[in-house]
Amino acid sequence: MARNIQSLERAAAMLRLLAGGERRLGLSDIASSLGLAKGTAHGILRTLQQEGFVEQDDASGRYQLGAELLRLGTTYLDVHELRARALVWTDDLARSSGESVHLGVLHQQGVLVVHHVFRPDDSRQVLEIGAMQPLHSTALGKVLSAYDPVAHSEALETERKAFTDRTVCEWDAFEHLLDITRARGYAADVEETWEGVASIAAPIHDRRRMPVGAVGITGAVERLCRDGELRPELIAAVRDCARAVSRDLGAGRF
């Protein structure tokens, strides 16, 4: 019988350790948990980091699972499945709302835009697939922070920069916004990230009822708002789209 390769066994144990319990662990914690010398643990971590399977936080020096491992393990969840399931519904949302539609997932302490449907008019627009948005100020980011515990933790640990005078940066006030988001089932961004721009987003859940992304519309404040408030028909359209994608992912009724 072929012998197991000890370094691979240790690397696998390290990845399992990082996948459970605390989101981030220090070198000493990892070494002691696995019964390894610090030098040995550091060597394995360095190799995993070079391959993208592990990431190290610059500020704390702690380690966490890397995006490459997530990509391999879930095919970015199924980010491919998420996009495929959302195609028809996001096209419908763009047509019914008259605004651009973004589909986002949590990635590296922000929101990664994985699908973008242009506003259905003749205006010049830039494709934003692959763009990153902040967690604390955008509608997509607030939705993920409200429903996904990992995103919530990332928003807590990330600097909350003031992009405009309306950006909510204080943690207590931000937590209150997340409570409101969970209570009403959607998040809003009215000139909190970009002057003159508003957005509405709602959560998407998978068959395990876990939050896997968010979908939203973005447009000029004067189009999304009426008398200083977000237009209720647009809110309803975004929430209907999110529920439809969730159902297609097997989440059932919400």
Side-chain angles (χ1 to χ4, degrees):
M1 181 181 294
R3 296 177 60 186
N4 292 340
I5 300 174
Q6 187 180 55
S7 59
L8 292 180
E9 290 181 330
R10 288 172 171 176
M14 201 168 285
L15 293 174
R16 292 191 189 97
L17 178 65
L18 289 170
E22 294 292 332
R23 170 100 175 130
R24 290 179 179 150
L25 293 172
L27 174 60
S28 296
D29 298 325
I30 295 170
S32 62
S33 295
L34 299 178
L36 300 174
K38 281 188 179 181
T40 301
H42 185 256
I44 296 172
L45 285 167
R46 186 172 63 247
T47 301
L48 291 172
Q49 186 178 2
Q50 289 171 349
E51 296 299 324
F53 297 148
V54 164
E55 296 172 358
Q56 186 178 27
D57 180 65
D58 292 335
S60 67
R62 290 174 173 266
Y63 294 90
Q64 65 182 29
L65 293 181
E68 181 64 15
L69 182 66
L70 297 176
R71 185 184 70 80
L72 292 175
T74 62
T75 317
Y76 248 172
L77 171 71
D78 306 282
V79 162
H80 296 309
E81 182 183 3
L82 178 60
R83 288 179 60 189
R85 299 288 185 176
L87 288 176
V88 172
W89 300 111
T90 50
D91 283 349
D92 287 347
L93 178 59
R95 281 193 295 269
S96 65
S97 67
E99 303 296 344
S100 62
V101 177
H102 295 91
L103 185 70
V105 298
L106 177 66
H107 181 63
Q108 293 184 348
Q109 299 184 318
V111 183
L112 175 66
V113 176
V114 297
H115 185 54
H116 176 200
V117 183
F118 282 162
R119 185 171 63 254
D121 59 21
D122 295 327
S123 63
R124 184 174 182 178
Q125 300 172 62
V126 177
L127 187 66
E128 297 181 24
I129 293 175
M132 292 292 294
Q133 295 186 5
L135 286 170
H136 70 286
S137 63
T138 62
L140 292 174
K142 291 178 196 174
V143 162
L144 293 174
S145 299
Y147 287 89
D148 184 344
V150 175
H152 183 271
S153 175
E154 299 287 12
L156 171 64
E157 297 175 7
T158 305
E159 178 187 3
R160 291 177 296 282
K161 178 181 177 182
F163 297 105
T164 73
D165 292 341
R166 292 173 174 262
T167 309
V168 175
C169 301
E170 296 77 14
W171 182 246
D172 289 347
F174 182 63
E175 284 281 30
H176 180 62
L177 281 179
L178 299 187
D179 288 340
I180 293 173
T181 296
R182 285 186 286 267
R184 65 190 183 184
Y186 71 92
D189 165 12
V190 181
E191 297 189 286
E192 293 179 47
T193 310
W194 302 281
E195 297 283 356
V197 176
S199 58
I200 305 165
I204 296 172
H205 297 80
D206 67 5
R207 61 185 61 85
R208 300 164 299 170
R209 298 296 182 96
M210 297 294 291
V212 294
V215 64
I217 60 172
T218 300
V221 170
E222 58 266 26
R223 294 198 303 268
L224 266 65
C225 297
R226 181 188 299 127
D227 299 327
E229 300 290 337
L230 289 167
R231 291 165 52 191
E233 66 271 23
L234 294 180
I235 295 171
V238 171
R239 295 192 67 196
D240 286 346
C241 177
R243 283 193 289 261
V245 178
S246 297
R247 285 196 298 272
D248 273 4
L249 288 171
R253 297 185 62 84
F254 271 83

